[in-house]
Amino acid sequence: MPAVPPIAAERLPELLRRMPKAELHIHIEGSLEPELIFEMSRRNGIAIPYAGVEELRRAYAFTNLQSFLDIYYAGASVLINERDFHDMAWAYLLKAKAENVVRAELFFDPQTHTARGVAMETVINGLHSACTRAGAELGVSASLILCFLRHLSEGEAFETLEQALPFQDKFIGVGLDSSEVGHPPEKFAKVFARCRELGLHLVAHAGEEGPPSYVWTALDLLKVERIDHGVQSSKDPQLMRRLAQDRIPLTVCPLSNLKLCVFPALEQHNLRELLDAGLVATVNSDDPAYFGGYLNENFTRTFAATGLSAQHAWQLAANSFEASFAEPEQKRRWRDQLDAAFAQFA
Ligand code: HPA
Ligand code: ZN
């Protein structure tokens, strides 16, 4: 790890905003801002039970994961046409560009849409065309990861995989999201084994609200390459050693954890503990339209609350590139850009 030159505390927020970084845990449906929800509601003739943007935003007072998911799935109900999926992803990718995100791996929840009669092709083509456009017009590298909803059955996950396979060239991996407690990773062991045979990357949400045992089974039974959230791992010292030794990245989402009451205050977040234990922790926004901030807001607020340093900033950005599913040569170029950004700042 290169020694990071001393940087004055008051310049840290600017450094955090300026440094190149990858975002690896963003549910694209969670980037749908209330303004866009109402625009799509109008243009698609889908009623939503809120009078306007302000009333909808006021409803974003969550007590746990499920209280958020209920509103998140309602918000996604306005997405109907390929253009809607494109516009949603494009709005996020423009934000990503403005925040010096050079790589984004976007989760999407096809079952939320296919259950309403939207074709898999519509979902994937709309999102994928925005990713391709981001590469060409913004210089932002973007890829898709298809998530299975864990509150549904493994049979339904298999059906979803079947529907998606004609478009396998348009997504790079699969993940597991939605209600965690009561739906352990092992419920999806067979479908993940199939995805592994197909050469897809594998990730899963584990240890957001669920116990460390869910992180163990995600690793040992699903054989995932990254853990999404994983913050509950700090309750299990043996698991912490495993994650550090095998360099299993955690895609941590501090403002999400705050909004969903996983930690009572940002000051009590365990990101520093994860980094100090040598874990490949990264910072991400999860569902930025619902949780009060995009990626740079996650960085600046968490650093202000927990007193992390410029050295931590460098480590988190370097971790984000290491943890990404981009090509090694591309990762090296981003690491060089990161070091150049820090050298410029010294
Ligand atoms: N956890 C689980 N499922 C989700 C999340 C999350 O943070 N965001 C969107 N779906
Ligand atoms: Zn998530």
Side-chain angles (χ1 to χ4, degrees):
M1 184 201 313
V4 170
I7 288 165
E10 64 269 21
R11 297 181 69 210
L12 200 44
E14 196 194 341
L15 175 67
L16 290 166
R17 286 191 282 266
R18 271 225 236 144
M19 68 180 186
K21 54 189 81 80
E23 172 143 67
L24 307 176
H25 186 159
I26 156 87
H27 301 264
I28 200 59
E29 293 91 347
S31 75
L32 198 53
E33 292 286 347
E35 289 78 5
L36 214 42
I37 290 179
F38 275 93
E39 187 185 321
M40 290 182 190
S41 152
R42 269 189 301 275
R43 80 186 184 205
N44 293 330
I46 307 278
I48 38 172
Y50 297 91
V53 164
E54 289 75 27
E55 190 183 310
L56 180 54
R57 277 219 170 84
R58 273 199 298 277
Y60 294 176
F62 312 117
T63 50
N64 57 20
L65 174 58
Q66 192 60 50
S67 65
F68 153 69
L69 290 170
D70 294 341
I71 286 196
Y72 162 82
Y73 294 129
S77 69
V78 299
L79 295 156
I80 303 290
N81 301 304
E82 194 173 310
R83 174 188 163 195
D84 303 329
F85 291 91
H86 179 100
D87 290 354
M88 170 174 67
W90 183 246
Y92 164 74
L93 289 161
L94 285 173
K95 286 236 170 57
K97 171 68 179 174
E99 296 205 341
N100 294 309
V101 171
V102 295
R103 166 76 177 168
E105 297 179 10
L106 315 183
F107 292 141
F108 68 110
D109 287 339
Q111 287 160 296
T112 304
H113 314 300
T114 54
R116 299 180 290 112
V118 178
M120 181 67 81
E121 183 177 12
T122 303
V123 177
I124 294 184
N125 285 346
L127 298 176
H128 186 261
S129 65
C131 292
T132 307
R133 186 177 167 198
E137 295 182 24
L138 307 176
V140 174
S141 162
S143 297
L144 297 172
I145 296 177
L146 180 160
C147 284
F148 301 118
L149 297 181
R150 69 201 303 159
H151 67 275
L152 302 178
S153 70
E154 187 177 48
E156 286 163 295
F158 265 114
E159 280 171 32
T160 302
L161 179 63
E162 277 311 310
Q163 291 164 9
L165 281 184
F167 315 101
Q168 200 190 334
D169 58 325
K170 294 184 171 147
F171 60 99
I172 60 168
V174 297
L176 189 62
D177 67 1
S178 189
S179 322
E180 184 183 10
V181 174
H183 302 284
E186 47 270 37
K187 180 176 162 187
F188 295 91
K190 292 191 192 74
V191 74
F192 269 65
R194 177 73 189 123
C195 291
R196 192 157 177 255
E197 283 172 4
L198 289 164
L200 289 160
H201 286 293
L202 307 179
V203 300
H205 283 53
E208 177 184 15
E209 289 183 340
S213 64
Y214 284 22
V215 179
W216 281 110
T217 53
L219 293 173
D220 291 335
L221 298 180
L222 300 191
K223 304 195 184 303
V224 299
E225 299 160 79
R226 293 197 302 241
I227 296 287
D228 296 311
H229 293 294
V231 289
Q232 302 300 334
S233 303
S234 63
K235 291 178 175 160
D236 180 342
Q238 204 186 333
L239 177 58
M240 291 287 277
R241 285 193 291 277
R242 166 79 183 278
L243 293 167
Q245 266 161 21
D246 289 355
R247 297 198 71 71
I248 305 290
L250 300 189
T251 61
V252 176
C253 307
L255 290 179
S256 164
N257 294 155
L258 179 67
K259 278 292 255 187
L260 302 188
C261 307
V262 172
F263 293 94
L266 215 45
E267 286 73 11
Q268 277 146 57
H269 199 283
N270 66 357
L271 178 62
R272 177 192 283 268
E273 185 186 343
L274 301 172
L275 288 170
D276 288 350
L279 268 61
V280 187
T282 63
V283 168
N284 305 272
S285 69
D286 207 9
D287 300 281
Y290 293 89
F291 297 153
Y294 285 77
L295 187 52
N296 284 348
E297 191 84 3
N298 273 270
F299 271 106
T300 54
R301 287 186 56 193
T302 307
F303 272 62
T306 63
L308 292 173
S309 66
Q311 184 75 52
H312 291 115
W314 183 89
Q315 190 67 58
L316 285 162
N319 287 351
S320 77
F321 296 134
E322 175 182 341
S324 89
F325 294 135
E327 294 303 318
E329 183 48 40
Q330 179 62 76
K331 292 189 192 195
R332 270 192 291 277
R333 282 198 293 275
W334 289 326
R335 262 290 294 274
D336 290 345
Q337 289 170 17
L338 174 64
D339 291 344
F342 270 73
Q344 223 179 35
F345 231 82

